[in-house]
Amino acid sequence: MDAYDEEPEARSGPDGPAGARRADSPGTPGEDSGPEATGGDGAPEPTPRVGLAALSPRYRLVAGGALAVVAAVAAVHLGMVFLSLAPANTVSKRHAKAVEGWVYPEFEQNWKLFAPNPLQQNVAVQVRAQVRGGDGEVRTTGWTDLSAEDGAAIDGNLLPSHTQQNELRRAWDFLGTTHGTDNRPVGVRGALSEQYVRRIVVLRLRRDEGLDRAGTIERVQVRSRTVNVPPPEWSREKVSTNPAYRVLPWWTVTGDETEAGAR
């Protein structure tokens, strides 16, 4: 009778009638329970999701849309830069305005550093002016080094403006490519480059030198000072470090340019 009463307990208990776990029991210590851990119902436990899969459907849609926008902008940017640097072709000619509007001035590329003959000179643009004072007397100012002013503004500046870096330099390059060796303009673009440089120097003289308080700027003269970069000490190359000047003729400042400088 006592043995009969112990039988149900023995069947329902985990350790059997003698308190020993059965060898074929699924949680026996020291034995492999199988290749996958199973839940209480015998099904494999789900693998936790990572990355985008861990997000809800709504946020997955938002993240996917953001990635698509970033990829599209990157593709457009690379295409625009490629067209601006590639040789002239049908696509670049047809969409020239769109390409220039995208690339210039923020994404402008200058490949002179990688050219076979990189620039090895320091070029400074200088200007002087003839100013008529309140007494009617005309005096000539000394030379003002505008490139040195730009260099001082850039030095130590973590975020120099595009104007400080390139306005004067690009204007002088533009003038040099549209003028002959006699400093005379070649074609319509030559006259345009003169007007562009003249407006820049008048603006700078009025702003930096305060010549508007000294009188009226009647004429300006611009010159460049070019010095070869000296070779390193270990090089046997010999170059002259004497400055070479390119002096342009005097330019008469018109009334609208004086007013533009005042603004």
Side-chain angles (χ1 to χ4, degrees):
M1 187 67 177
D2 294 338
Y4 180 80
D5 292 339
E6 291 178 359
E7 185 63 18
E9 183 180 353
R11 283 196 297 266
S12 62
D15 297 331
R21 187 179 297 273
R22 291 181 299 175
D24 59 349
S25 159
T28 304
E31 294 189 3
D32 190 4
S33 59
E36 290 186 354
T38 59
D41 56 355
E45 294 184 357
T47 303
R49 296 181 177 181
V50 296
L52 292 178
L55 301 175
S56 64
R58 177 187 303 175
Y59 287 106
R60 271 185 284 177
L61 182 61
V62 173
L67 289 177
V69 171
V70 172
V73 173
V76 171
H77 175 70
L78 292 176
M80 290 293 190
V81 174
F82 173 79
L83 290 176
S84 69
L85 298 176
N89 53 73
T90 304
V91 178
S92 62
K93 291 178 180 179
R94 178 177 300 177
H95 304 285
K97 291 184 178 180
V99 172
E100 292 178 358
W102 180 279
V103 173
Y104 298 105
E106 288 82 3
F107 305 114
E108 177 186 3
Q109 302 293 322
N110 187 345
W111 299 108
K112 289 184 178 180
L113 179 63
F114 306 100
N117 186 23
L119 184 64
Q120 299 180 7
Q121 297 174 327
N122 290 322
V123 182
V125 179
Q126 303 172 343
V127 61
R128 64 178 178 176
Q130 288 184 347
V131 183
R132 183 177 297 276
D135 55 359
E137 183 179 355
V138 177
R139 67 180 183 89
T140 302
T141 67
W143 290 101
T144 299
D145 195 331
L146 302 181
S147 297
E149 293 179 354
D150 286 345
I154 295 172
D155 189 21
N157 188 350
L158 296 179
L159 297 173
S161 70
H162 184 78
T163 300
Q164 293 170 332
Q165 298 179 78
N166 294 318
E167 181 187 54
L168 183 63
R169 178 182 62 84
R170 291 294 302 276
W172 184 254
D173 289 344
F174 180 32
L175 186 139
T177 57
T178 56
H179 281 65
T181 55
D182 56 355
N183 293 327
R184 293 184 178 182
V186 178
V188 179
R189 290 174 59 84
L192 178 64
S193 66
E194 283 189 5
Q195 184 180 15
Y196 184 44
V197 172
R198 190 162 58 244
R199 284 178 177 268
I200 291 176
V201 299
V202 169
L203 173 63
R204 295 284 295 271
L205 287 173
R206 296 179 67 92
R207 184 189 67 189
D208 301 338
E209 303 299 324
L211 294 185
D212 55 340
R213 297 186 296 271
T216 302
I217 302 176
E218 292 193 342
R219 296 202 302 170
V220 293
Q221 188 177 33
V222 183
R223 73 177 184 183
S224 65
R225 181 180 185 271
T226 303
V227 180
N228 293 321
V229 176
E233 296 180 355
W234 48 263
S235 175
R236 296 181 179 180
E237 182 182 4
K238 301 296 182 180
V239 298
S240 174
T241 57
N242 296 326
Y245 294 92
R246 178 183 180 180
V247 184
L248 302 183
W250 285 93
W251 293 333
T252 301
V253 178
T254 62
D256 61 332
E257 291 171 346
T258 303
E259 294 174 0
R263 290 195 297 268

